[in-house]
Amino acid sequence: MTYIVANWKLHGSQDFVKNYSEILGACLNTAPKEKNITTIICPPFPFLERVALAGVIHGFSAGAQDCSAYESGAHTGDVSASMIKEIGAGYVIIGHSECRQKNPNEHQYISQKILQVQKAGLTPILCVGESLDVHNTGNADSFVLDQLEKALKNYIDLKNILVAYEPIWAIGTGKTATLQDIVYMHRAIKSAPLLKNLNIPILYGGSVKPDNTSEILTLDTVQGVLVGGASLKAETFNFIVKAAF
Ligand code: 13P
């Protein structure tokens, strides 16, 4: 299975969803069945239901970009995992570095959010990754393993999760991690005590573009990519999807 995930971040509109879905759908129609490609589109919340409905017609899944750490209650502005499930999405990105940066206490909520996602019957896409400062100390692997350990400490169904390694210094910078960096960190993640022998799909994210997707996907530690900027034009995203054909 190869996962090609689009994170639209704060972009999109109703018209955008319609046009994008049609263009992406035409591409997915030509996908070789034996390749087993799962395409997941993660729009802002107001468009999630539309994306989920369009996905049923055009052959992709919908994911949310975050969810509440709570099931219900006095949490103004929150959206619960069960609400996300109810409108037809299948996945939720948890722990994206942009959410972690916005809320310095985010790390305290990640394991709770993952639990909510699991309880709702959805699959979390857990993002981990180090800053440039941490990268330069040479301790990126222990930093990422610590993020994983904290995020997964309460998680029961460890088989039902995707992990995305997104080094912060590679996000939106055009500076993709080297293939060696990716393999090194993916191996570290795969051998994390909690994940050992579970064969969890591990994705890479950070300046993924049409011209570097093929080489990233040829790495045997990589089961997919998480794409920001290059997912915002359906035609460009199609080239990334086709790299998995
Ligand atoms: P870019 O592809 O724009 O670097 O963003 C990556 C990302 O943050 C996906 O979640």
Side-chain angles (χ1 to χ4, degrees), residues 4 8 24 27 35-36 40 71 82 85 87 98 101-102 129 133 139 144 169 172 174 181 183 194 229:
I4 308 291
W8 287 357
L24 174 61
C27 169
K35 289 290 182 176
N36 233 341
I40 305 164
E71 205 163 326
S82 59
K85 167 84 173 175
I87 60 171
E98 285 154 15
Q101 278 163 340
K102 217 167 25 190
D133 282 351
N139 292 323
V144 165
W169 47 272
D181 280 333
V183 169
L194 280 168

Side-chain angles (χ1 to χ4, degrees), residues 7 9 96 166 170-172 206-208 226-229:
N7 176 7
K9 306 189 179 181
H96 194 282
E166 293 207 310
I171 295 177
S207 296
V208 172
L226 177 51
V227 190

Side-chain angles (χ1 to χ4, degrees), residues 50-61:
R50 267 173 196 264
V51 166
L53 289 170
V56 173
I57 300 165
H58 295 294
F60 52 83
S61 300

Side-chain angles (χ1 to χ4, degrees), residues 93-228:
I93 296 173
I94 299 290
H96 194 282
S97 61
E98 285 154 15
C99 300
R100 292 183 194 251
Q101 278 163 340
K102 217 167 25 190
N103 179 4
N105 296 323
E106 179 67 13
H107 62 278
Q108 295 172 10
Y109 296 104
I110 288 174
S111 66
Q112 250 173 283
K113 288 184 177 186
I114 287 196
L115 211 57
Q116 291 299 330
V117 172
Q118 172 185 259
K119 271 169 76 178
L122 298 165
T123 302
I125 304 173
L126 171 64
C127 295
V128 291
E130 80 286 2
S131 66
L132 189 58
D133 282 351
V134 172
H135 186 74
N136 289 339
T137 63
N139 292 323
D141 51 351
S142 48
F143 180 87
V144 165
L145 291 180
D146 186 56
Q147 281 184 324
L148 269 179
E149 169 85 34
K150 288 192 173 118
L152 299 178
K153 60 177 191 242
N154 299 321
Y155 198 44
I156 309 156
D157 186 8
L158 277 166
K159 274 188 227 121
N160 182 29
I161 188 167
L162 310 181
V163 173
Y165 170 52
E166 293 207 310
I168 297 170
W169 47 272
I171 295 177
T173 58
K175 261 179 72 180
T176 319
T178 64
L179 299 182
Q180 289 90 322
D181 280 333
I182 299 172
V183 169
Y184 178 77
M185 192 60 80
H186 276 211
R187 287 207 177 125
I189 293 170
K190 275 186 198 295
S191 61
L194 280 168
L195 298 180
K196 233 181 190 162
N197 305 324
L198 291 179
N199 218 6
I200 302 296
I202 307 183
L203 321 187
Y204 168 76
S207 296
V208 172
K209 293 174 276 219
D211 60 4
N212 61 21
T213 309
S214 295
E215 58 177 13
I216 293 171
L217 289 179
T218 56
L219 299 171
D220 62 2
T221 60
V222 173
Q223 281 78 48
V225 286
L226 177 51
V227 190

